[in-house]
């Protein structure tokens, strides 16, 4: 059984790598265009790194396109008192079409995430982290 699990994990990593490289070859132009749009229109650094808790409670930095101002507290959006006050002009569009998630492909490529599985929790979502540990 252990041999099969090891083989399966290696094949899963290889599959994730192949999918990442294929998607990056297709998405490189849109990634650059979105970055330029955020940089020019909102005058913010286009990528931010969110501290996340992954498998085995390992913390890693997950890249995302910036949709909120850089001085926004690191909280889930639904916990902000007035989230629209922090939203960039490009933010609603990027979130509506989930384009802010595209840089996460780099976390998959690095091995911090996989394509299929639970979304890594924010470092301050203690209740979710504890539930997953159980």
């Amino acid at each position: 059984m252990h041999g099969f699990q090891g083989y399966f994990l290696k094949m899963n990593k290889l599959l994730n790598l192949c999918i990442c490289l294929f998607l990056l070859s297709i998405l490189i132009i849109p990634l650059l265009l979105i970055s330029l749009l955020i940089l020019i229109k909102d005058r913010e650094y286009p990528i931010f790194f969110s501290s996340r808790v992954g498998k085995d409670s390992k913390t890693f930095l997950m890249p995302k396109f910036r949709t909120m101002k850089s001085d926004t507290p690191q909280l889930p959006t639904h916990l902000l008192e007035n989230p629209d006050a922090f939203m960039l002009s490009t933010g609603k569009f990027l979130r509506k079409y989930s384009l802010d998630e595209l840089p996460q492909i780099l976390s998959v490529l690095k091995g911090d995430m996989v394509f299929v599985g639970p979304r890594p929790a924010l470092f301050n979502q203690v209740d979710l982290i504890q539930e997953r540990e159980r």
Side-chain angles (χ1 to χ4, degrees):
M1 181 79 162
H2 181 66
F4 178 74
Q5 285 177 326
Y7 174 77
F8 179 76
L9 289 174
K10 286 179 186 176
M11 291 305 296
N12 193 28
K13 286 182 182 185
L14 181 62
L15 182 61
N16 277 308
L17 176 65
C18 291
I19 292 170
C20 280
L21 293 175
F22 174 73
L23 288 175
L24 276 174
S25 70
I26 293 171
L27 295 174
I28 191 70
I29 300 298
L31 287 167
L32 291 172
L33 289 174
I34 292 169
S35 295
L36 280 172
L37 180 68
I38 296 168
L39 191 62
I40 292 168
K41 189 162 181 170
D42 291 312
R43 304 211 183 280
E44 288 273 6
Y45 187 72
I47 303 282
F48 84 98
F49 292 88
S50 177
S51 184
R52 299 293 177 134
V53 179
K55 186 177 178 187
D56 300 324
S57 298
K58 179 184 165 197
T59 302
F60 67 97
L61 295 175
M62 182 180 74
K64 293 184 73 171
F65 279 125
R66 183 175 296 282
T67 58
M68 307 289 265
K69 296 177 183 174
S70 55
D71 60 352
T72 304
Q74 276 211 357
L75 293 171
T77 306
H78 69 279
L79 294 180
L80 292 171
E81 191 171 310
N82 184 7
D84 287 338
F86 295 102
M87 188 72 66
L88 296 177
S89 65
T90 54
K92 286 186 181 183
F93 175 81
L94 293 175
R95 284 188 173 195
K96 180 178 180 181
Y97 296 102
S98 297
L99 297 173
D100 59 321
E101 312 285 342
L102 289 178
Q104 292 176 30
I105 195 169
L106 299 174
S107 289
V108 177
L109 190 60
K110 188 178 170 193
D112 289 332
M113 292 175 56
V114 293
F115 281 110
V116 178
R119 180 175 176 80
L122 282 167
F123 71 95
N124 56 5
Q125 289 179 304
V126 178
D127 54 339
L128 178 59
I129 295 166
Q130 289 174 344
E131 186 64 31
R132 287 182 178 171
E133 285 175 354
R134 278 189 236 134

